[in-house]
Amino acid sequence: MGERTRIARYFAPLAPDAGSFSLTDDAAVLAAPAGFSLVITTDSVIESVHVLAAATPQQFATKLVRRNLSDLAAMGAQPWRYTLNLHTPHGIADEWFAKFSAALVAEQSQFGMVLIGGDSTSAPHAAIHATMTCFGLLDGAPLRRNGAQVGDDIYVSGTIGDAALGLLMLQQKLPSDPALIARYHTPQPRLALGSSLHGIATSAMDISDGLLADTAQLCSASDVGAIIHRDAIPLSPAAQQAVAWQAILNGGDDYELLFTAPTSARDTIAELAASLALQLTRIGEITAGNEVVLVDENNVRLPMPSAGFTHD
Amino acid sequence: MGERTRIARYFAPLAPDAGSFSLTDDAAVLAAPAGFSLVITTDSVIESVHVLAAATPQQFATKLVRRNLSDLAAMGAQPWRYTLNLHTPHGIADEWFAKFSAALVAEQSQFGMVLIGGDSTSAPHAAIHATMTCFGLLDGAPLRRNGAQVGDDIYVSGTIGDAALGLLMLQQKLPSDPALIARYHTPQPRLALGSSLHGIATSAMDISDGLLADTAQLCSASDVGAIIHRDAIPLSPAAQQAVAWQAILNGGDDYELLFTAPTSARDTIAELAASLALQLTRIGEITAGNEVVLVDENNVRLPMPSAGFTHD
């Protein structure tokens, strides 16, 4: 059973509150501090699952923070507070905690949030588990996944596939390129973009499981289909060299934003890209139906690469 | 390095917000919904650490929920919402999730809270890890650990040591007694008591690491000492039979409340015990200095049993 099926079957019935969106969005919205909504999101990083077994404490902390903040960005919220649960193997060196907490200091300073609680457990297991729960503040309505309309444009921020290629490099499957490896270790949560998309985007989510899988998620939530123009997908120069479509279309860990907007918003989005100094690229259109279709430059349908990463 | 030292050294500097109490209390207080403070607490349950390796999904869920709710009770807050992070070994049966979620349904119904988010990860590790983050509502000021005054009475709710004895029974170290085993598996978070102690108690915390260790924590937070009258400690009939002071004084998992109040509150507390139908027992006094002393019925000092459970 996949994660989504499991959540829908076993956990969504436990979540009747309207602000939890039946557990289908990136984060939950609670009624919260004066003038703001409080946005809660939580994600874990497990050694050898979300980071490599050889991950440094800094890589661990960075991935943990940014996985979470990417979810806040996707809702249009700003970081505020967080809790941390840390489960470490017996006998781990204090040095690990020192480096991990130093990395968190840098992260929370950069992103303007502070720790408010947590727990720490030493366990007789080999892998480090960390969970972060982030509390974001939101001025206005959240960006949701379910608002895409037939005829909307589909956009992505940044470039797609770099982190997946970086991971292949770390696994010695591609020649190494420090820029792409950095994209894997140090995602950039698109917080400024998320908070700028209020009133512009009709739907948004972050790309964590791969462009095609996440487009399918967004379409499912909005009850629409999509055409993705493969040659419009923005690639870094290094990704253009690699021509590894399987990794680019299905690779996880991009942490870019995927969003939809009416065609009337094209000028506004171009201005937004300029003001944020962030590439925002139109890669397709929302269609009627429920299918996500990939096409080439002549609008000829391409075979879908086999499914990317799925939680199980 | 102990957990508290590690937190003080590495994590407290990350928590400058006044509502996080330098990470020394049971939960954090955030400015929150109209008329209420939002109280956040988070705790994990790891297989073979906080529950036995053979724990059923129901035992796992129950311990997870109640460990967290005991922290809300200690602050005087009421359950409201929660998030869940679940890390399970590859190949775990769907049946496990079904039973686990069914147990959560029962718990959230009993305690009046609902799930609002989380994550679920399958990992190549043998142990189940679950983290819950609970959001409580608080009407008024939180109960803190740091308000005990010299001359205050020290109270505990319920009976002490039952869970530790229950665990020894599960480990085949004592003859089995279903009532004490139930106390280990099914703690009773003292929520009604916690919310009734506003304006009465000068300090409060839940007993999770053992009576003496937690009394020392409360005294340290309040910068006071304590005398505990061993023969005043309330014991269940089964615990009276066992006469295992080491387990009773140092055993974890009681999840009773430890609190202090001025001597002028004795009548009020007696009335509260009656109205809640919950035993509230005066077991000692707060003293000047920083020492926690255990005495017998003649006020003769007893040797302290060797230290109980400490996180590391």
Side-chain angles (χ1 to χ4, degrees):
Chain A
M1 187 184 298
E3 183 193 7
R4 293 187 185 93
T5 307
R6 182 179 292 153
I7 289 172
R9 180 172 305 174
Y10 295 127
F11 299 107
L14 313 191
D17 188 61
S20 56
F21 309 126
S22 300
L23 307 184
T24 61
D25 259 86
D26 291 292
V29 177
L30 297 177
F36 287 94
S37 299
L38 193 60
V39 178
I40 317 289
T41 189
T42 183
D43 248 324
S44 303
V45 168
I46 305 174
E47 192 179 4
S48 80
V49 177
H50 307 98
V51 293
L52 298 176
T56 67
Q58 165 148 23
Q59 288 163 355
F60 208 103
T62 303
K63 188 63 74 82
L64 179 65
V65 168
R66 294 167 183 226
R67 264 171 73 83
N68 275 283
L69 294 191
S70 182
D71 283 326
L72 291 188
M75 302 291 281
Q78 292 297 317
W80 185 43
R81 302 285 186 267
Y82 70 99
T83 59
L84 176 66
N85 309 85
L86 194 53
H87 309 162
T88 48
H90 289 318
I92 191 171
D94 287 344
E95 185 71 5
W96 192 93
F97 294 96
K99 289 182 173 172
F100 182 75
S101 68
L104 287 179
V105 167
E107 291 291 302
Q108 68 179 42
S109 167
Q110 175 173 351
F111 292 112
M113 64 175 186
V114 295
L115 182 66
I116 58 160
D119 76 335
S120 153
T121 304
S122 176
H125 309 301
I128 300 168
H129 290 234
T131 292
M132 183 169 280
T133 303
C134 282
F135 308 89
L137 294 181
L138 177 66
D139 185 5
L143 301 172
R144 299 280 311 278
R145 296 183 182 181
N146 67 356
Q149 304 293 321
V150 174
D152 279 355
D153 293 324
I154 302 172
Y155 292 85
V156 293
S157 63
T159 52
I160 299 300
D162 295 338
L165 296 172
L167 177 58
L168 290 173
M169 291 168 183
L170 288 166
Q171 294 167 336
Q172 321 288 336
K173 293 174 184 167
L174 280 179
S176 193
D177 179 321
L180 270 58
I181 289 172
R183 290 271 288 165
Y184 173 77
H185 286 315
T186 314
Q188 300 298 329
R190 299 303 187 188
L191 291 156
L193 174 61
S195 61
S196 299
L197 286 176
H198 293 296
I200 299 173
T202 50
S203 71
M205 67 181 292
D206 74 326
I207 306 172
S208 55
D209 291 345
L211 176 62
L212 293 182
D214 288 327
T215 301
Q217 280 297 309
L218 186 143
C219 287
S220 171
S222 294
D223 195 22
V224 295
I227 293 174
I228 303 290
H229 299 271
R230 194 183 69 176
D231 293 337
I233 296 169
L235 303 181
S236 64
Q240 287 171 18
Q241 293 291 320
V243 198
W245 283 114
Q246 167 81 11
I248 291 165
L249 295 169
N250 289 333
D253 284 326
D254 280 322
Y255 299 110
E256 296 292 347
L257 290 191
L258 171 72
F259 62 96
T260 59
T263 57
S264 60
R266 288 182 184 178
D267 289 349
T268 306
I269 289 170
E271 288 159 17
L272 184 59
S275 74
L276 296 173
L278 176 64
Q279 195 172 346
L280 299 178
T281 308
R282 188 153 45 87
I283 61 165
E285 303 88 44
I286 295 295
T287 60
N290 291 286
E291 202 178 9
V292 177
V293 173
L294 188 67
V295 298
D296 71 9
E297 68 273 31
N298 299 315
N299 280 322
V300 174
R301 191 166 172 165
L302 293 163
M304 293 296 265
S306 61
F309 180 76
T310 53
H311 300 282
D312 73 344
Chain B
M1 184 184 304
E3 183 193 6
R4 294 187 185 93
T5 308
R6 182 179 290 153
I7 289 172
R9 182 174 303 174
Y10 295 129
F11 299 109
L14 315 192
D17 189 61
S20 57
F21 309 129
S22 300
L23 308 184
T24 61
D25 259 85
D26 290 293
V29 178
L30 298 178
F36 288 94
S37 299
L38 192 62
V39 177
I40 317 289
T41 189
T42 183
D43 249 323
S44 304
V45 167
I46 305 175
E47 193 179 5
S48 80
V49 177
H50 306 97
V51 292
L52 298 176
T56 66
Q58 166 149 21
Q59 288 164 353
F60 207 103
T62 303
K63 188 64 75 84
L64 179 65
V65 168
R66 293 165 183 229
R67 265 171 72 84
N68 275 282
L69 294 191
S70 182
D71 284 327
L72 290 188
M75 303 291 281
Q78 291 298 317
W80 184 44
R81 302 284 185 268
Y82 70 98
T83 59
L84 176 66
N85 309 86
L86 194 53
H87 309 162
T88 47
H90 289 317
I92 191 169
D94 286 344
E95 185 72 3
W96 192 93
F97 294 96
K99 290 182 172 172
F100 182 75
S101 68
L104 287 179
V105 167
E107 292 290 303
Q108 68 179 43
S109 167
Q110 175 172 350
F111 293 111
M113 63 176 188
V114 295
L115 183 65
I116 59 160
D119 75 335
S120 153
T121 304
S122 176
H125 310 301
I128 300 168
H129 290 234
T131 292
M132 182 169 281
T133 303
C134 282
F135 307 89
L137 294 181
L138 178 66
D139 185 4
L143 300 172
R144 299 281 310 278
R145 295 183 183 182
N146 68 356
Q149 303 294 318
V150 174
D152 278 355
D153 293 323
I154 303 172
Y155 292 84
V156 294
S157 63
T159 53
I160 300 300
D162 295 338
L165 296 173
L167 178 58
L168 290 173
M169 291 167 183
L170 288 165
Q171 295 167 335
Q172 321 288 336
K173 293 174 184 169
L174 280 180
S176 193
D177 179 322
L180 271 58
I181 289 172
R183 290 272 287 164
Y184 173 77
H185 285 315
T186 313
Q188 300 299 328
R190 299 304 185 187
L191 292 156
L193 173 61
S195 61
S196 299
L197 286 176
H198 294 294
I200 300 172
T202 50
S203 71
M205 68 182 290
D206 74 325
I207 305 173
S208 56
D209 291 346
L211 177 62
L212 293 182
D214 288 326
T215 302
Q217 281 297 309
L218 186 144
C219 286
S220 171
S222 295
D223 195 21
V224 294
I227 292 175
I228 303 289
H229 299 271
R230 194 183 69 176
D231 293 337
I233 296 169
L235 304 181
S236 65
Q240 288 171 19
Q241 293 291 321
V243 197
W245 283 113
Q246 167 82 10
I248 291 164
L249 295 168
N250 289 332
D253 285 325
D254 281 321
Y255 300 110
E256 295 294 345
L257 291 191
L258 171 71
F259 62 98
T260 60
T263 56
S264 60
R266 287 182 186 178
D267 289 349
T268 306
I269 289 170
E271 288 159 17
L272 184 58
S275 75
L276 296 173
L278 176 64
Q279 195 172 347
L280 300 178
T281 307
R282 188 153 47 86
I283 61 164
E285 304 87 45
I286 294 294
T287 59
N290 290 286
E291 202 178 7
V292 177
V293 173
L294 188 68
V295 298
D296 70 10
E297 69 273 31
N298 300 313
N299 278 321
V300 174
R301 189 163 172 166
L302 292 164
M304 294 295 266
S306 61
F309 181 78
T310 55
H311 299 284
D312 74 343

